[in-house]
Amino acid sequence: MGDGFQSNADALKAEGKNFSDIARDFHQATTKLRNGLAAQGDGGGGGGEAPKETTFSSVAQDAWKGLTTFSDKQGTPPWGDDELGEKFGVVYEGLRDGMTDSMKHLATKLDEIGRALERMAKNHEENEDFTQALIKEQKPEKQFAGEVRGLKSTAR
């Protein structure tokens, strides 16, 4: 026969803390990603400078800027505002928003799991303490040993 159900409250506490730490780190990474995308002008604020007078030099500078940055016009998303850019933007923004919402939700759930494991450890310890106190209150050790001896002697 097995040893019965065993749990390690210290391990539950430690793993609960680990889950909470992972949740915090994941939330920070999600925030960093969201802020990084916003800084690149991913459909929110554009970025870049106001339009300037067109010359060959400015066209070349704009072309180079277009290759090295996401946006060259104030208020224009990085993918542009033409028909194809608008279609891309609708898909991109939907996926981006769904992804960031899901990532935030995951961070919240990881933290909830961590706190639940820590509560489980605390409840288990309290239950063990209560059970041990009840056993000692109901059957003191010496009395229990005497009853067992008595059973053996009557069985002979």
Side-chain angles (χ1 to χ4, degrees), residues 1-155:
M1 195 155 226
D3 293 337
F5 179 75
Q6 296 181 358
S7 65
N8 183 335
D10 291 334
L12 285 171
K13 277 189 228 175
E15 293 308 319
K17 183 185 177 320
N18 288 341
F19 263 91
S20 294
D21 290 347
I22 290 168
R24 184 198 63 238
D25 293 347
F26 193 75
H27 177 74
Q28 289 173 346
T30 301
T31 301
K32 186 176 179 180
L33 173 63
R34 208 172 31 240
N35 292 342
L37 292 173
Q40 295 299 318
D42 76 335
E49 304 165 358
K52 53 188 173 214
E53 199 174 305
T54 305
T55 64
F56 178 75
S57 174
S58 68
V59 170
Q61 287 173 345
D62 287 347
W64 176 251
K65 186 175 181 182
L67 293 172
T68 59
T69 64
F70 280 118
S71 180
D72 64 346
K73 294 192 291 186
Q74 186 69 25
T76 302
W79 44 83
D81 57 0
D82 61 353
E83 184 180 346
L84 183 60
E86 286 179 13
K87 289 178 181 177
F88 174 84
V90 168
V91 172
Y92 169 79
E93 288 173 354
L95 292 173
R96 177 203 58 204
D97 294 347
M99 177 194 67
T100 54
D101 288 348
S102 294
M103 291 170 70
K104 187 166 51 170
H105 179 74
L106 177 59
T108 299
K109 292 302 175 188
L110 288 170
D111 187 50
E112 287 175 9
I113 291 169
R115 285 185 282 130
L117 287 172
E118 291 181 57
R119 276 193 313 274
M120 187 185 301
K122 182 178 180 260
N123 291 342
H124 181 70
E125 286 176 334
E126 288 174 356
N127 185 44
E128 287 293 310
D129 292 344
F130 177 76
T131 302
Q132 289 300 322
L134 247 156
I135 289 171
K136 286 180 181 177
E137 180 182 301
Q138 297 297 318
K139 298 276 186 187
E141 187 100 9
K142 292 178 183 176
Q143 179 185 351
F144 182 71
E147 288 177 4
V148 170
R149 263 186 253 114
L151 286 175
K152 286 183 181 176
S153 62
T154 54

